[in-house]
Amino acid sequence: MTGRILIADGLATNRITLKVRLSAACYDVLTATSPQQVLVLAAQQQPDLVILGSSLCGEDPVALCRMLAQNPATAQIPLLLQCESNRLIDALGAGAAAVLEPRVDEHLLLARIRGLLRQNDMLASVVGMAEAPATFDGPIRGDVTLVADTPGRALGWKHLLSQHLPCRFTVNDAEQALAAVARENAAELYVIATDLEHPGEGLRLLAELRSRNASRDSSFIIAVPEGRSDLVTIALDLGAGETIPVSLQSETMVEATAMLIKAQIRRKRLADRRRAEAERHRLWAMTDPLTGLYNRRYALPRLTAIAQDAQDQGRAFSVLAMDLDRFKLINDHFGHAAGDAVLVEVATRIGRAVADRGMTARVGGEEFVAVLPMTDADQAAQLAEIVRQEVMSRPIALPMRVGGGELAVTLSIGIASGGVTGQRIDPARLAEDALDRADHAMLAAKSLGRNRVMRAPAVQAA
């Protein structure tokens, strides 16, 4: 199933008709006949979307919408409210994510559902970060770009909306909007008319903006000529978050548009926060918090993948196992703060020397690993010597809180290569063997006086 949807309507004909439509589109459909049943099912079943029909008995659908939006158990569920256009402002203010008239075209209804589920999937992509939808209380400031068929219409939008929103409105044509994005200066939200200099040009601009890195996460509202529900459907499927009439002829429509802009900007900012949080979690899972290098959890599977690629391509790969010399003495004599400072600086020097020639990780206290794709033993030995020289090239400054001063450090490095034996070996075993041989070579370097590079014996083909 592509999503679970709760249909709430007091008329059996409406429920059955809508259930048949949605079931045919492979949605998992629940139904409710009363406001109390809606509240219970929404809280217990946690559907991906609730559709509130206009014929619920015993409760105003707008009031029910408000109860669902204010209940912590259901506040994160998007609500699609079917009501007459004269209730639009009330419905949006009550927390509806979208509002449609009861006698809506089937294609438009399905497009709206797809759009809401797409937004909900994106917002729920980080586990444990569900948040209640933002209300319309309080001002919101944002960068909004207006692109209309004529400058006069765009300026008219700006004049009307500025009376309701303290946003920074910019009037652009299509070329100017794309040029700004090329300069990494995308708006938070774009309001675009479907028809610009040519029919459908606004929809093409929407698709183009959503394909650009700088603007793909912006929000979009498409202004559609009256009676063109086909264009509304296309706009929603292209990724527009909302549609409005191209002519804002009434104060009610202007106010509703302002509310929709506020909602879209808030959803965009929430999505931005969740993407940033997801990236932080990804980095935390992959990196060592002290040095910023990759950690063991990431490095070992990556080593296996590099070993797999080496076998597939018939190319060598190499591993450098590196260990700081006499690091325990640093901790014992100067304290752990000094030891941490040394580790951070050594990691920086190793990373700078290896650069884009391989992956560098901290795999233990003072242990580092560099994995070098498409690198044979001779090339690895040359790079290892560069790393060793870089680490010992100049003393490391110690923090003032431990007395300051400088400390010279050295590195022992072991090298092992693999991937070109002519045998087909399990990549995990090949990676483990290379790392183990590099570790033994590093220990040999330490036993021979430290601060040197040692190669592991080459693996002999069977």
Side-chain angles (χ1 to χ4, degrees):
M1 293 292 179
T2 54
R4 172 174 287 189
I5 300 175
L6 172 60
I7 300 171
D9 201 298
L11 293 180
T13 303
N14 292 350
R15 290 195 310 275
I16 294 170
T17 301
L18 189 51
K19 182 174 182 178
V20 169
R21 288 181 180 181
L22 297 181
S23 297
C26 297
Y27 292 107
D28 182 12
V29 181
L30 306 169
T31 59
T33 60
S34 69
Q36 187 58 37
Q37 193 177 13
V38 173
L39 295 171
V40 172
L41 282 175
Q44 291 180 348
Q45 299 296 323
Q46 291 293 303
D48 300 298
L49 175 67
V50 174
I51 301 176
L52 298 176
S54 58
S55 302
L56 276 168
C57 299
E59 188 67 65
D60 175 16
V62 172
L64 179 59
C65 178
R66 182 174 288 105
M67 282 189 279
L68 288 166
Q70 292 177 349
N71 183 351
T74 55
Q76 77 281 2
I77 303 172
L79 307 174
L80 172 55
L81 184 57
Q82 292 185 294
C83 65
E84 299 298 337
S85 58
N86 61 355
R87 302 296 308 279
L88 176 60
I89 300 294
D90 294 338
L92 293 173
V99 182
L100 290 176
E101 293 191 2
R103 295 163 296 280
V104 67
D105 170 77
E106 177 179 353
H107 297 295
L108 175 54
L109 173 64
L110 292 175
R112 175 62 76 181
I113 290 171
R114 288 191 295 270
L116 290 172
L117 292 177
R118 181 173 60 244
Q119 289 183 9
N120 196 44
D121 286 344
M122 178 263 297
L123 289 175
S125 60
V126 180
V127 176
M129 294 190 63
E131 297 181 29
T135 66
F136 289 98
D137 297 331
I140 186 167
R141 293 169 175 80
D143 293 317
V144 179
T145 292
L146 308 173
V147 186
D149 51 343
T150 66
R153 189 189 300 278
L155 289 171
W157 289 348
K158 179 178 179 179
H159 172 73
L160 293 170
L161 294 171
S162 295
Q163 299 175 42
H164 295 268
L165 294 170
C167 293
R168 184 164 51 251
F169 292 98
T170 302
V171 173
N172 279 171
D173 59 25
E175 184 176 345
Q176 290 169 331
L178 291 172
V181 168
R183 298 191 302 270
E184 302 292 321
N185 187 26
E188 285 190 281
L189 181 137
Y190 292 85
V191 181
I192 305 172
T194 54
D195 302 328
L196 302 177
E197 291 187 10
H198 307 285
E201 186 180 356
L203 296 175
R204 290 189 290 273
L205 176 61
L206 165 63
E208 190 65 39
L209 289 169
R210 282 184 49 79
S211 73
R212 305 289 180 92
N213 286 337
S215 54
R216 65 184 176 189
D217 295 325
S218 298
S219 291
F220 298 89
I221 294 178
I222 300 300
V224 182
E226 187 176 357
R228 294 299 307 271
S229 63
D230 57 324
L231 294 180
V232 174
T233 299
I234 294 171
L236 293 172
D237 282 337
L238 284 174
E242 191 54 78
T243 64
I244 59 171
V246 72
S247 297
L248 302 180
Q249 296 179 333
S250 68
E251 177 59 26
T252 297
M253 198 63 245
V254 173
E255 184 179 351
T257 299
M259 295 176 74
L260 293 172
I261 288 174
K262 289 170 68 175
Q264 289 297 313
I265 291 177
R266 283 196 169 104
R267 287 175 190 145
K268 182 226 182 309
R269 291 178 180 176
L270 175 57
D272 288 346
R273 288 200 302 273
R274 291 186 175 179
R275 274 189 295 271
E277 187 68 16
E279 179 64 13
R280 283 194 293 273
H281 281 287
R282 186 184 71 84
L283 290 175
W284 289 338
M286 294 169 53
T287 57
D288 169 50
L290 177 64
T291 64
L293 297 180
Y294 289 119
N295 59 19
R296 187 181 189 90
R297 181 189 299 174
Y298 175 83
L300 296 186
R302 182 67 187 130
L303 171 56
T304 299
I306 290 173
Q308 172 78 64
D309 292 342
Q311 288 198 115
D312 292 343
Q313 300 166 12
R315 303 285 299 273
F317 73 98
S318 294
V319 177
L320 307 184
M322 298 166 278
D323 193 276
L324 271 172
D325 296 326
R326 297 186 173 89
F327 181 70
K328 185 176 184 300
L329 294 178
I330 297 174
N331 276 336
D332 290 345
H333 285 89
F334 298 95
H336 289 283
D340 287 350
V342 168
L343 288 171
V344 170
E345 178 59 24
V346 167
T348 299
R349 295 181 186 187
I350 293 173
R352 185 164 55 233
V354 174
D356 59 0
R357 285 171 283 193
M359 176 203 68
T360 307
R362 181 187 177 206
V363 294
E366 67 270 29
E367 302 170 34
F368 300 87
V369 164
V371 184
L372 312 173
M374 297 184 291
T375 304
D376 61 26
D378 290 337
Q379 295 168 324
Q382 293 175 8
L383 179 57
E385 185 60 29
I386 292 172
V387 171
R388 188 185 70 84
Q389 292 285 350
E390 175 69 19
V391 169
M392 66 176 293
S393 61
R394 58 196 180 279
I396 294 175
L398 299 181
M400 291 304 299
R401 66 181 180 275
V402 299
E406 294 181 330
L407 189 63
V409 297
T410 60
L411 199 64
S412 295
I413 304 176
I415 303 169
S417 298
V420 289
T421 62
Q423 305 177 59
R424 193 68 187 179
I425 304 173
D426 175 64
R429 187 159 68 88
L430 179 61
E432 183 180 359
D433 175 71
L435 183 58
D436 186 58
R437 290 188 297 113
D439 275 334
H440 280 86
M442 179 267 293
L443 293 173
K446 284 188 174 294
S447 69
L448 292 173
R450 300 180 176 83
N451 189 25
R452 64 189 62 211
V453 175
M454 292 289 293
R455 296 194 199 190
V459 176
Q460 300 298 317

